[in-house]
Amino acid sequence: MAEPEEMQACFDTQPPQPELPNHFLHIVDFFETDEEYRRAEAMKDQIVEVDIEDFIHHYLPFQPDDNSVKLAEDSLKQAKQLNNAGSGRKTFPPNVEHWDEKERLEKLGSIFCALDSLKLRGTGPTCRFELNPKHKTALKTSVSGHKSKSDGYLRLLKPTNSPSSVAKLTELPISDVAVNFEIKRSPNDSVENRRQVIHAAGDMLDNDPCRQFSYSVTIEDRDTRLWYWSRSHCAASTSFDFTKESRRLIYILLAFIFATPTELGYDDGIKRIQDQDGEIRYVYRIDGRFFKTLRCVAKPIDLRMSGRITRVWEAEEVESFESPLAVGNPKVIVRDVWLVESDKTEKQIQDEVFRNLDCLCKNESSARLDASFSGEDDKHREELTEYIKNGKYKNYFLSTIVDEKGKPTR
């Protein structure tokens, strides 16, 4: 039972439920105790497969225009990363079947490098591709401390963390990884590749409270597939040959590296900070007020990525994102929960209950209220009737002081 001065702040992010084909992707052959396999087992019927064209138009961060793609093609040709294949068709250099995984990563890095100098949407890239052969750089999470891994990734040029926390080259905060890549030499490695990308994507969503959704890319030989991860649903595209469909790959890469952080899945209502004591904390903006997390009370434990996934923090109200100093109000509980868009928030439900009780006490006499508690003894009947009449019943609820609906995901 809550004391009257305790408060609760709720932050509800509500994704829609899109209509998608009922075709789920094969991602696991057998079950093992390793966490990577356990997550793959949990996700085996959770990922819907979408035609690559539908994925491009529905899931990509934004849609580059034809002029942007033409500029990118010219830049790639100047860098000798793109060949003319006749009939106006262009391809990336062949002989990919002879490349090992490191060479494939390097080729992808060369393509990204040729696009870095472009200016699209009035600005340069927001992220840069980095190789991670043999997983030399661990992707460190700030909530659980767990270390993930990826073959390569698009890293935000403007880090989410302070400069002091990126000094260790062997560790990269997973919050700075916008898109992760997994690359294998043979199509026979597709199931292993999918397990790895699912595990890395799950770490991103579970351990970065700022993340609404995220993207991944997998390549086996030439077969390229795009992935979208969110709390509403997860989707994978059908595959395409990146060496033959160069324009499609260029379009996709532009949509990633020139996307804003918000378009890449970062929630602009939550800011990651390094506090005065050196700890990583998060500031939530909720209906114009700001709450800084102090400790995690409860975090997601479901191996599946879709669902309510409630995260609970002990927090204190602060001045703003720029000045996260306590304003002196009592500590609160912040609940970050995912709901179906049409669902009511906890505050809306509680407000409705209170309105109904207030309406009841206005329209009913004390005698009739007393009679409605006939199962109680005289003392408790009098107390309950008095609480309803004077509104003190609210003291027995953990009251929600403020809430906000986040932006719906796809």
Side-chain angles (χ1 to χ4, degrees):
M1 186 175 297
E3 296 296 327
E5 65 272 13
E6 286 187 325
M7 300 181 293
Q8 179 186 38
C10 293
F11 182 83
D12 295 274
T13 306
Q14 304 181 323
Q17 298 291 338
E19 294 182 4
L20 293 168
N22 188 25
H23 180 201
F24 298 103
L25 211 59
H26 178 60
I27 58 173
V28 63
D29 286 326
F30 53 90
F31 180 86
E32 291 191 6
T33 56
D34 181 84
E35 184 178 353
E36 186 175 292
Y37 288 91
R38 289 190 290 114
R39 188 182 286 275
E41 176 72 14
M43 291 290 296
K44 67 181 181 182
D45 60 352
Q46 300 289 310
I47 304 172
V48 65
E49 188 174 39
V50 181
D51 180 79
I52 180 61
E53 283 301 315
D54 291 334
F55 191 102
I56 286 172
H57 293 296
H58 185 71
Y59 290 99
L60 282 188
F62 77 98
Q63 305 295 314
D65 57 32
D66 291 340
N67 184 57
S68 297
V69 177
K70 177 65 167 58
L71 288 173
E73 287 180 334
D74 292 343
S75 180
L76 287 164
K77 283 190 287 186
Q78 290 177 5
K80 302 186 184 312
Q81 298 299 322
L82 196 62
N83 297 333
N84 287 318
S87 303
R89 189 167 63 89
K90 300 175 179 64
T91 64
F92 289 110
N95 301 322
V96 66
E97 64 272 10
H98 301 302
W99 300 345
D100 60 22
E101 292 174 20
K102 183 175 182 293
E103 289 172 321
R104 292 162 197 259
L105 279 167
E106 290 173 347
K107 171 54 63 178
L108 197 57
S110 298
I111 293 171
F112 275 111
C113 185
L115 301 176
D116 281 349
S117 61
L118 294 178
K119 298 288 184 182
L120 303 183
R121 311 176 85 189
T123 185
T126 57
C127 47
R128 176 172 294 146
F129 183 74
E130 294 188 2
L131 307 177
N132 193 22
K134 299 182 180 179
H135 303 136
K136 290 182 179 178
T137 302
L139 307 182
K140 186 177 181 181
T141 63
S142 57
V143 175
S144 68
H146 174 72
K147 294 180 182 179
S148 185
K149 58 186 180 181
S150 284
D151 293 331
Y153 38 77
L154 285 178
R155 177 178 180 172
L156 291 177
L157 290 177
K158 184 178 180 181
T160 61
N161 42 277
S162 65
S164 62
S165 60
V166 296
K168 297 180 181 179
L169 297 179
T170 57
E171 291 183 358
L172 172 68
I174 203 168
S175 56
D176 286 351
V177 176
V179 182
N180 66 309
F181 288 72
E182 299 293 343
I183 298 179
K184 293 290 182 290
R185 183 171 182 175
S186 170
N188 296 330
D189 296 324
S190 61
V191 173
E192 178 186 355
N193 222 18
R194 293 168 189 177
R195 284 198 300 264
Q196 290 177 351
V197 80
I198 288 167
H199 184 66
D203 275 350
M204 285 187 189
L205 290 184
D206 288 349
N207 291 285
D208 185 4
C210 301
R211 202 73 64 109
Q212 284 191 306
F213 54 89
S214 67
Y215 295 96
S216 300
V217 179
T218 55
I219 300 176
E220 296 98 26
D221 189 20
R222 307 172 187 221
D223 294 337
T224 306
R225 194 184 295 269
L226 312 179
W227 304 75
Y228 170 83
W229 316 98
S230 81
R231 298 309 188 188
S232 67
H233 70 286
C234 300
S237 74
T238 52
S239 62
F240 68 96
D241 186 334
F242 80 90
T243 66
K244 295 180 179 179
E245 300 184 64
S246 63
R247 188 175 180 84
R248 175 174 283 168
L249 180 63
I250 292 169
Y251 188 95
I252 291 166
L253 298 186
L254 293 178
F256 284 144
I257 64 176
F258 288 93
T260 66
T262 301
E263 290 170 333
L264 288 168
Y266 290 88
D267 191 335
D268 59 10
I270 308 173
K271 184 177 181 180
R272 185 177 189 266
I273 66 169
Q274 188 167 27
D275 217 350
Q276 295 176 345
D277 59 2
E279 293 295 318
I280 296 297
R281 294 194 169 89
Y282 300 88
V283 179
Y284 282 74
R285 183 183 62 225
I286 308 176
D287 197 26
R289 297 168 67 175
F290 298 86
F291 299 87
K292 181 178 71 177
T293 63
L294 300 175
R295 66 184 180 93
C296 188
V297 178
K299 60 186 179 182
I301 57 173
D302 196 335
L303 291 173
R304 294 170 298 179
M305 294 186 219
S306 301
R308 292 177 61 91
I309 317 295
T310 303
R311 186 181 277 112
V312 183
W313 304 92
E314 181 184 26
E316 62 182 1
E317 188 168 3
V318 295
E319 294 176 358
S320 65
F321 281 147
E322 294 72 25
S323 179
L325 302 175
V327 299
N329 290 340
K331 292 179 181 178
V332 299
I333 291 294
V334 171
R335 294 177 66 250
D336 185 350
V337 59
W338 292 79
L339 301 174
V340 176
E341 190 172 15
S342 58
D343 286 354
K344 295 178 180 178
T345 67
E346 184 173 308
K347 186 176 188 302
Q348 289 172 327
I349 294 172
Q350 188 179 75
D351 288 347
E352 187 174 331
V353 170
F354 288 172
R355 281 195 301 270
N356 290 337
L357 287 172
D358 290 341
C359 182
L360 179 67
C361 75
K362 288 180 181 179
N363 298 329
E364 297 290 345
S365 65
S366 296
R368 293 195 62 176
L369 284 174
D370 186 74
S372 65
F373 301 121
S374 57
E376 302 292 334
D377 57 40
D378 291 344
K379 180 182 178 182
H380 285 144
R381 275 205 313 275
E382 291 177 5
E383 288 180 346
L384 289 169
T385 300
E386 183 63 21
Y387 288 155
I388 294 293
K389 295 295 289 184
N390 61 23
K392 287 185 177 179
Y393 67 88
K394 295 177 183 177
N395 294 347
Y396 293 91
F397 289 83
L398 186 62
S399 299
T400 303
I401 58 170
V402 64
D403 72 349
E404 179 177 322
K405 290 184 181 181
K407 299 174 183 176
T409 60
R410 291 173 175 82

